[in-house]
Amino acid sequence: MNLGFNRSNYIPGILAGTVAVATIAIGQPAMAKTAREVAKIAVPTTVQINNTLATDKGGSGVIIAKKGKIYTVLTANHVVINPNSEYVIVTSKKKEHKVTEVKGFQNNDIGPDLAIVMFESDEEYSVAPISNSDEAEIGSGVYISGYPLPAGVGSQEREYQFTNGQVTNVRSSNDQGYTMRYDAVTRRGMSGGPVFDVSGRVIGIHGQGDTVGRVQNEAGGRQEEVKTGFNSAIPINTFVGMMSQVGMEKSALKVDEKPAENADAEEVKPGEAQGWFADFGKEIVKDVIQRGIRRLLPF
């Protein structure tokens, strides 16, 4: 039974690896931003994706396009793989929006683990810029953005997490398209979330984390995987090379093709991103109030 959205599967023309985004403009590289500056881009564009039929399952995603009132979110296919489930997007504004359509790219075990989901809203949401993921080399600094699943007993809220890392390996090919490797602290539920470069552009979709077993969490809740700190993402170029299969054109994306500056990602201390999240929320409210006042003032 399908509960409220349409789902389509598309046979990928590319099973793994990356595809060039386009000719890279020659010129000065994009300047590296501070961790807080990148987070200011990541927070409003990263969303949580909840499975209403299974509260212990869910993932993250990133808003990559908008057309009228329709927003497109890029995520990992395994986050929205169940055609009988109903999915809900929760944004940084704490607003819930039903997923109206799912379009998956993966139709076999080795196909790219990518999907796009759509939702409709009168709210104004930011769209994340993307860049050429081929520029991400060993040693490149990255930031991972997402919403881990609740860990404690009785806990329901998914708190935003933003962590720093570094690319450790770039494979020429790999099953499910996971060719970008990096070290970073990630947790279950962050799958489908964006990987940003140091200039604040999406260069990958996080989806795998190496584990060495499972332990009972401190709160006595569900068992959690013990992660090694090594993770994998699907480069954004893989998506760009296949997006025509889901009826999207590159012109729908916010593309910044400048090469990233060769710089490390700044360290993000545990809990630091939660403070930024709260600060950015206050800034959004303040901006809305100011815009409302301006509309009421006479010209």
Side-chain angles (χ1 to χ4, degrees), residues 228-244:
T228 65
F230 289 101
N231 305 268
S232 298
I234 301 172
I236 198 68
N237 286 9
T238 300
F239 165 71
V240 172
M242 300 169 61
M243 60 188 295
S244 63

Side-chain angles (χ1 to χ4, degrees), residues 132-257:
N132 177 24
S133 53
D134 285 347
E135 293 289 334
E137 300 175 343
I138 294 176
S140 296
V142 293
Y143 296 98
I144 298 84
S145 177
Y147 288 87
L149 293 174
V153 176
S155 177
Q156 297 295 326
E157 186 174 356
R158 298 175 61 183
E159 295 184 351
Y160 178 74
Q161 183 163 318
F162 180 82
T163 61
N164 63 286
Q166 185 180 62
V167 176
T168 59
N169 187 23
V170 180
R171 297 166 171 168
S172 59
S173 64
N174 197 43
D175 286 357
Q176 300 182 5
Y178 286 105
T179 59
M180 183 185 296
R181 297 272 290 167
Y182 45 94
D183 63 338
V185 176
T186 62
R187 285 173 49 200
R188 185 167 171 259
M190 294 180 72
S191 286
V195 177
F196 288 89
D197 67 11
V198 293
S199 299
R201 291 90 51 90
V202 177
I203 57 170
I205 295 298
H206 169 75
Q208 290 184 347
D210 294 355
T211 62
V212 291
R214 300 174 70 89
V215 295
Q216 196 81 14
N217 64 40
E218 295 180 358
R222 69 174 66 89
Q223 288 192 337
E224 292 189 344
E225 298 95 344
V226 178
K227 292 198 171 187
T228 65
F230 289 101
N231 305 268
S232 298
I234 301 172
I236 198 68
N237 286 9
T238 300
F239 165 71
V240 172
M242 300 169 61
M243 60 188 295
S244 63
Q245 298 179 35
V246 292
M248 291 187 68
E249 297 180 358
K250 188 181 173 185
S251 59
L253 305 177
K254 187 177 179 181
V255 182
D256 180 356
E257 296 181 339

Side-chain angles (χ1 to χ4, degrees), residues 7 22 28 45 82 183 220 232 251 263 291:
R7 181 183 178 94
Q28 294 297 318
T45 57
N82 189 344
D183 63 338
S232 298
S251 59
R291 283 189 280 120

Side-chain angles (χ1 to χ4, degrees), residues 110-127:
I110 63 173
D113 184 20
L114 290 172
I116 58 171
V117 300
M118 273 73 82
F119 71 92
E120 183 175 350
S121 175
D122 291 324
E123 294 277 342
E124 286 293 329
Y125 293 116
S126 299
V127 173

